[in-house]
Amino acid sequence: MTTAKQTFSEVTPPHLEDLPYREYDPEIARQLLKFIKPYTNKIILSTLFMAISSFAAVSGPYLLNVAIDEGLAKNSVATLRNTVILFLLLQVAQWFFNYVRTNIMARVGQSVIFDFRARLFEHLQELSLSFFSRYSSGRITSRVINDVNVLREFVTWTLLAAARDFFTLIGIVFTMVIINWKLSLLSFIVLPVMAVLTFEFRKRARTNYLRTRMGISWVNSVLAENINGVRVVQSFSREDTNYDYFQNTVNRYNLDANIAAARLSSVFFPSIDLLGKVAMALAIWAGGTAVLGEPLSAGDLVAFVLYIDRFFEPIRDLSMRFDNLMATMASGERILTLLNTPVEVQDRPGAAIMPPIRGEVTFDHVSFHYSDDDQEVLKDINLRVKPGETIALVGKTGAGKTTIIKLISRFYDPTSGRVLIDGIDLTQVTQESLRSQMGIVLQDPFLFSGTVRENIRFGRLEATDEEVEEAAKAVGADDFIRQMRLGYETPVEEGGIILSVGQRQLISFARALLANPRILILDEATSSVDTQTEQIIQKALSRLLEGRTSFVIAHRLSTVTNADRILVIHDGQIVEEGKHHELLEKGGMYHQLYSLRFEEEQ
């Protein structure tokens, strides 16, 4: 942990992969343009409107020139009136086209974001579990929310703002040359100095950009970590220590990074303004004294000064747009990396619909290792489970128990061998038709934002209210649900934070029962509940397991001993198999595990 005594330059935030500063990459740009392509016509129309509004904006000083030289100097009221009317009409046109263009691009930007997020959400739901074991939900959410918003800002504002600056700059230069090309060249003397300043600013701004992004990301990361772990923080009386770290290291780094960025901007932008004033002074001096050898009218001089005042604004803005482009490249790369992540488990072309499952499960010489690790988790597993049979899987942590049930659910495909249900290879059927006939209850059940009733109905949306309540009664959840503030209509919030672990587990049992799966998987579903709640669950298990092929991973003895068959998994292999009393009589590994668990549960 960084100490409070370290200076800003000495502090290095933890690596945050969402922060690289990406140079322009044509391949990234090409892939991003695919999402923008459907809106090409609207973007072209907006660009046309932008060109018209830029022309209207640039015409102002020129019309002022005409009003002075042709109206006031020649005492022509008609010319003055017509010039003023034309000026007003152009301003109205500028307002109208800007209004329409802004609305069009706002719709385009939001539509692009809509498409991006829909595609990301669809892809995330298709990705295999191995992906989510490598990436935290915070990193994924950051990409879906923050990075997509960077793209929205680019499409909605930066893209056409850069076009506006370009059109404005071209219009100003063209008009200045038309008025007096010699005076234009004199005014452009400051451009090399401006180019050097802009180059240095961009180089230093890149570093400051990274530091400010790191700073706010670090602040958000530490805030989220402390909020999520507030119970642990308070349990160990870490409030003062965590506050000191946050205030004097994390928050201080963010403050110093932003002050450094502000200090750089306070030098660059006033310098650009100063160069503009120098160019303006040169134009006034040269034009006023006619040192260029030809007369310059008052209107020309006034228009020239106004154009010079505007000339440097689009140059300054374009230098800032470059940073926006780089941020878009970085965000685009992260989003495309996510979208291009391959789906490891996919339905084959022409995959069949799984017929109604009877419940026979077969492992035919199944071996498995994860894609990022060559070490085998399962080694030549052969197993046949009869329909309606309850199988308990026991073994030490890391033995391969959970991997077996993930293969049955086809969250992974075997590295070699086959997994069959009712004699059908799981790789030959669609995942949806398979999993719709299966039910899984996890050790830490997840409840979604919504009511208790909606969470129970999650696995079978067409279930009636009566069926929902019958399922809850069957697993012993009805009593505590009716005691809640709004009964079955009580909102449980995300994760079910208002409920105890045991209550969440009972609701998950009701959800599984209501779905009426042909194959049921219980992954340590009773290990986190108290003894009293477990007794309620045990009464419901007989109802839940009845007539279904079931696989149970459990630490509690009562759940294991009632199984039709127990498989002892060790080092990726089935080393013992049989009923509870049979395995105890053998005095092997199961006997050791049983004895150890028996002592723990006393």
Side-chain angles (χ1 to χ4, degrees):
M1 184 177 293
T2 309
T3 63
K5 295 181 179 180
Q6 288 179 297
T7 64
F8 169 63
S9 60
E10 295 173 330
V11 175
T12 302
H15 173 66
L16 298 171
E17 62 89 36
D18 291 330
L19 298 174
Y21 189 96
R22 180 76 181 186
E23 297 293 344
Y24 176 76
D25 188 328
E27 178 58 26
I28 293 176
R30 185 186 66 80
Q31 294 187 55
L32 292 177
L33 285 175
K34 291 181 180 179
F35 288 88
I36 301 177
K37 188 176 180 180
Y39 309 98
T40 301
N41 292 337
K42 292 183 178 180
I43 293 176
I44 292 175
L45 182 62
S46 295
T47 304
L48 177 62
F49 288 164
M50 176 65 75
I52 295 173
S53 63
S54 297
F55 167 76
V58 169
S59 66
Y62 181 80
L63 291 177
L64 182 59
N65 176 12
V66 173
I68 293 174
D69 289 349
E70 301 297 327
L72 294 177
K74 297 181 179 181
N75 200 26
S76 174
V77 176
T79 300
L80 185 62
R81 181 186 65 247
N82 293 337
T83 303
V84 171
I85 291 174
L86 180 58
F87 174 80
L88 292 174
L89 289 175
L90 286 174
Q91 299 310 304
V92 172
Q94 180 184 357
W95 172 86
F96 173 76
F97 286 114
N98 277 335
Y99 169 78
V100 175
R101 183 264 308 171
T102 301
N103 275 276
I104 291 175
M105 288 309 297
R107 286 182 174 272
V108 169
Q110 293 297 338
S111 298
V112 170
I113 297 315
F114 180 85
D115 296 342
F116 256 116
R117 286 193 175 137
R119 181 69 188 93
L120 282 168
F121 187 83
E122 178 186 31
H123 187 64
L124 285 171
Q125 296 205 107
E126 295 173 350
L127 288 173
S128 306
L129 291 183
S130 58
F131 170 82
F132 296 97
S133 66
R134 298 191 304 267
Y135 287 84
S136 67
S137 59
R139 289 172 65 188
I140 298 172
T141 303
S142 175
R143 295 187 181 190
V144 176
I145 303 298
N146 299 336
D147 287 326
V148 171
N149 274 335
V150 171
L151 296 183
R152 179 185 63 81
E153 290 292 327
F154 179 78
V155 173
T156 306
W157 304 112
T158 303
L159 196 62
L160 283 193
R164 179 197 62 201
D165 293 333
F166 178 76
F167 289 137
T168 301
L169 191 60
I170 294 299
I172 289 174
V173 171
F174 178 79
T175 309
M176 288 175 66
V177 172
I178 291 296
I179 294 175
N180 192 304
W181 67 272
K182 293 182 179 180
L183 198 57
S184 298
L185 292 179
L186 181 64
S187 302
F188 297 157
I189 288 177
V190 300
L191 287 181
V193 180
M194 178 178 291
V196 172
L197 279 175
T198 303
F199 177 79
E200 286 297 320
F201 171 75
R202 276 191 45 239
K203 185 169 63 174
R204 297 176 184 273
R206 170 178 176 173
T207 301
N208 282 323
Y209 167 79
L210 284 173
R211 285 177 173 171
T212 54
R213 286 285 305 276
M214 283 184 181
I216 191 61
S217 296
W218 200 7
V219 166
N220 291 337
S221 176
V222 173
L223 279 174
E225 186 177 54
N226 275 266
I227 291 172
N228 291 331
V230 65
R231 292 182 180 179
V232 178
V233 172
Q234 293 181 359
S235 297
F236 288 90
S237 300
R238 285 270 305 191
E239 295 93 337
D240 292 340
T241 303
N242 284 19
Y243 173 79
D244 181 69
Y245 173 66
F246 176 79
Q247 183 67 2
N248 294 319
T249 301
V250 182
N251 207 22
R252 175 63 60 181
Y253 180 93
N254 184 51
L255 174 65
D256 291 343
N258 281 276
I259 289 177
R263 187 180 299 117
L264 180 64
S265 297
S266 69
V267 173
F268 175 72
F269 293 112
S271 297
I272 296 298
D273 292 337
L274 178 61
L275 288 174
K277 303 307 178 186
V278 170
M280 187 183 299
L282 287 173
I284 294 174
W285 173 75
T289 58
V291 295
L292 298 178
E294 59 185 66
L296 191 69
S297 69
D300 288 343
L301 182 58
V302 171
F304 221 91
V305 169
L306 291 176
Y307 278 126
I308 291 174
D309 189 42
R310 293 188 179 185
F311 176 74
F312 295 96
E313 182 178 341
I315 294 178
R316 181 178 62 181
D317 287 347
L318 283 171
S319 68
M320 296 300 297
R321 305 301 173 197
F322 183 83
D323 284 336
N324 297 141
L325 175 62
M326 296 303 99
T328 302
M329 286 293 103
S331 293
E333 181 185 33
R334 291 189 292 272
I335 292 173
L336 292 173
T337 298
L338 182 57
L339 283 176
N340 294 331
T341 300
V343 179
E344 295 181 8
V345 179
Q346 301 187 55
D347 292 339
R348 290 184 177 181
I353 301 298
M354 187 72 182
I357 292 175
R358 292 184 298 107
E360 181 183 59
V361 179
T362 304
F363 278 64
D364 181 18
H365 295 284
V366 170
S367 295
F368 176 79
H369 66 78
Y370 292 99
S371 58
D372 56 352
D373 188 356
D374 293 334
Q375 184 176 357
E376 285 194 330
V377 180
L378 297 180
K379 304 170 185 177
D380 196 31
I381 297 291
N382 287 285
L383 174 67
R384 182 176 178 274
V385 178
K386 299 176 183 178
E389 192 174 8
T390 297
I391 303 296
L393 303 174
V394 299
K396 297 179 180 179
T397 301
K401 305 184 298 297
T402 300
T403 303
I404 289 176
I405 65 173
K406 287 179 179 178
L407 291 175
I408 297 172
S409 307
R410 210 192 162 205
F411 290 129
Y412 296 98
D413 284 332
T415 306
S416 63
R418 299 183 303 163
V419 179
L420 305 97
I421 293 181
D422 297 342
I424 301 174
D425 190 333
L426 298 189
T427 61
Q428 304 300 320
V429 298
T430 64
Q431 298 172 69
E432 181 180 0
S433 64
L434 169 68
R435 293 174 188 157
S436 65
Q437 302 184 65
M438 303 179 69
I440 301 177
V441 180
L442 302 175
Q443 177 181 6
D444 187 15
F446 188 86
L447 301 184
F448 295 87
S449 296
T451 65
V452 173
R453 189 184 303 278
E454 289 170 340
N455 271 278
I456 296 176
R457 189 181 276 139
F458 187 83
R460 187 157 69 91
L461 298 179
E462 71 277 10
T464 65
D465 289 349
E466 291 74 17
E467 289 174 323
V468 169
E469 293 173 15
E470 283 299 319
K473 290 177 182 177
V475 299
D478 182 72
D479 290 341
F480 85 80
I481 293 175
R482 292 190 182 279
Q483 292 175 9
M484 299 176 70
R485 180 169 55 90
L486 297 176
Y488 282 86
E489 306 306 322
T490 303
V492 299
E493 304 302 332
E494 182 181 343
I497 58 175
I498 68 170
L499 302 174
S500 68
V501 175
Q503 290 173 331
R504 292 200 302 269
Q505 197 63 275
L506 287 172
I507 289 177
S508 71
F509 269 89
R511 182 162 59 192
L513 180 63
L514 183 65
N516 193 27
R518 300 309 307 153
I519 295 178
L520 180 66
I521 294 172
L522 305 180
D523 189 356
E524 300 187 9
T526 62
S527 62
S528 298
V529 300
D530 55 66
T531 304
Q532 183 178 0
T533 304
E534 186 195 6
Q535 292 175 354
I536 299 175
I537 290 177
Q538 291 298 334
K539 293 179 182 178
L541 276 177
S542 57
R543 169 74 182 275
L544 192 61
L545 301 177
E546 184 179 356
R548 298 180 173 88
T549 303
S550 304
F551 293 84
V552 180
I553 298 176
H555 285 162
R556 297 295 179 98
L557 295 176
S558 54
T559 308
V560 174
T561 55
N562 294 328
D564 296 322
R565 193 162 24 134
I566 300 170
L567 305 180
V568 181
I569 313 298
H570 178 69
D571 196 23
Q573 296 177 306
I574 301 175
V575 295
E576 292 182 8
E577 178 180 350
K579 292 183 176 294
H580 171 66
H581 67 274
E582 295 173 347
L583 295 178
L584 284 181
E585 291 176 358
K586 288 183 178 180
M589 181 172 290
Y590 179 77
H591 183 274
Q592 296 175 7
L593 293 171
Y594 180 85
S595 300
L596 180 62
R597 297 276 167 77
F598 181 79
E599 291 176 359
E600 290 177 350
E601 292 187 16
Q602 297 309 306

